[in-house]
């Protein structure tokens, strides 16, 4: 399977040398489950798109520091492309910004949450077990860095997992789009370094709480298997 990564941001320059860019993080995560996967990266933040929608088998939209509601010239074309993916029923995964973008592009809504920043390890309760999921679990934990959230589902969307902090944390739209607010591609060292780098922006107390949560387990490998199962179903 060949996955097209729609890259919507760059890793902070202070961290990229140690941790790589987002497409590398996703490739590492998913190739741990299937070493035969192939990836194409499209710098959609710079206007780069596939020449044909079917030059890859599926798509993955990365996270970004940008909000889906921000006035950036590259966001409307990306929303148009997401609508095209939806019309063509192309298997698509959205992560963080990608999660919010799918909702916003298809008639839902994402906005800045009044709950503030979510950092570190968050746990989500499954609300529904879809039939494509071969290893269901009552809950799972992943790393997060977000202030924006989806607060209105698009038509055809349903919540698969949620938390008190993030009620729409894992969403499926019809049979071909799956999105997560959390970051299965993040590692604990990367999350810790990002929190430390942005300590003043996030706030001391929020960072301290987030760093303390790194003691908890995360289930990135199980979620990676879910992602691949969904794309292949």
């Amino acid at each position: 399977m060949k996955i097209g990564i729609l890259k919507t941001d760059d890793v902070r320059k202070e961290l990229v040398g140690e941790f790589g860019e987002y497409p590398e993080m996703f490739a590492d995560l998913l190739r741990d489950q299937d070493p035969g996967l192939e990836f194409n990266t499209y710098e959609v933040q710079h206007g780069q798109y596939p020449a044909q929608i079917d030059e890859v088998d599926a798509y993955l939209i990365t996270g970004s520091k940008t909000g889906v509601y921000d006035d950036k010239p590259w966001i409307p074309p990306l929303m148009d492309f997401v609508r095209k993916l939806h019309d063509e029923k192309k298997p698509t995964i959205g992560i963080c910004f990608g999660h919010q973008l799918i909702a916003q592009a298809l008639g839902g809504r994402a906005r800045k949450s009044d709950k503030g920043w979510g950092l570190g390890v968050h746990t989500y309760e499954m609300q529904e077990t879809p039939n494509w999921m071969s290893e269901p679990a009552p809950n799972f934990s992943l790393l997060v860095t977000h202030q924006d959230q989806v607060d209105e589902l698009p038509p055809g969307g349903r919540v698969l997992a949620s938390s008190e902090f993030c009620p729409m944390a894992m969403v499926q739209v019809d049979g071909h789009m799956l999105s997560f607010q959390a970051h299965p591609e993040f590692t604990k060292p990367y999350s810790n370094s990002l929190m430390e780098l942005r300590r003043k922006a996030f706030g001391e107390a929020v960072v301290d709480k987030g760093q303390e949560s790194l003691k908890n387990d995360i289930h990135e490998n199980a979620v990676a298997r879910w992602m691949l199962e969904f794309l292949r179903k």
Side-chain angles (χ1 to χ4, degrees), residues 35-138:
L37 291 172
E38 297 179 51
F39 296 90
N40 284 3
T41 296
Y42 304 99
E43 294 274 0
V44 295
Q45 60 182 334
H46 303 304
Q48 182 188 27
Y49 286 88
Q52 296 182 353
I53 197 169
D54 289 332
E55 69 183 40
V56 296
D57 302 304
Y59 287 89
L60 187 153
I61 310 167
T62 72
S64 177
K65 61 179 174 293
T66 304
V68 296
Y69 45 75
D70 286 344
D71 184 20
K72 296 290 181 71
W74 56 270
I75 292 180
L78 180 55
M79 286 196 178
D80 287 342
F81 189 69
V82 168
R83 287 188 278 266
K84 183 177 180 182
L85 293 175
H86 183 51
D87 290 343
E88 297 288 333
K89 295 182 169 51
K90 196 72 176 175
T92 303
I93 300 282
I95 301 296
C96 195
F97 172 85
H99 166 74
Q100 298 155 17
L101 185 85
I102 288 171
Q104 189 90 357
L106 301 183
R109 186 178 71 167
R111 65 179 180 87
K112 198 177 298 295
S113 172
D114 57 12
K115 296 176 183 177
W117 282 102
L119 301 176
V121 178
H122 282 208
T123 298
Y124 305 100
E125 303 293 329
M126 292 297 298
Q127 304 301 318
E128 178 185 340
T129 301
N131 57 16
W132 50 262
M133 188 179 286
S134 68
E135 299 178 52

Side-chain angles (χ1 to χ4, degrees), residues 171-192:
V171 171
Q172 182 173 330
V173 181
D174 294 335
H176 52 274
M177 290 192 162
L178 179 69
S179 62
F180 298 83
Q181 179 56 65
H183 286 276
E185 81 280 15
F186 280 12
T187 64
K188 288 183 179 181
Y190 176 74
S191 180
N192 184 67

Side-chain angles (χ1 to χ4, degrees), residues 96 117-124 141-147 165-166 169 181-184 186 191 194-195 202 210 213-214 218:
C96 195
W117 282 102
L119 301 176
V121 178
H122 282 208
T123 298
Y124 305 100
S141 299
L142 290 174
L143 292 160
V144 304
T145 301
H146 71 99
Q147 191 173 16
F165 183 81
C166 185
Q181 179 56 65
H183 286 276
F186 280 12
S191 180
L194 184 61
M195 284 190 276
F202 291 145
S213 76
L214 297 179
I218 57 174

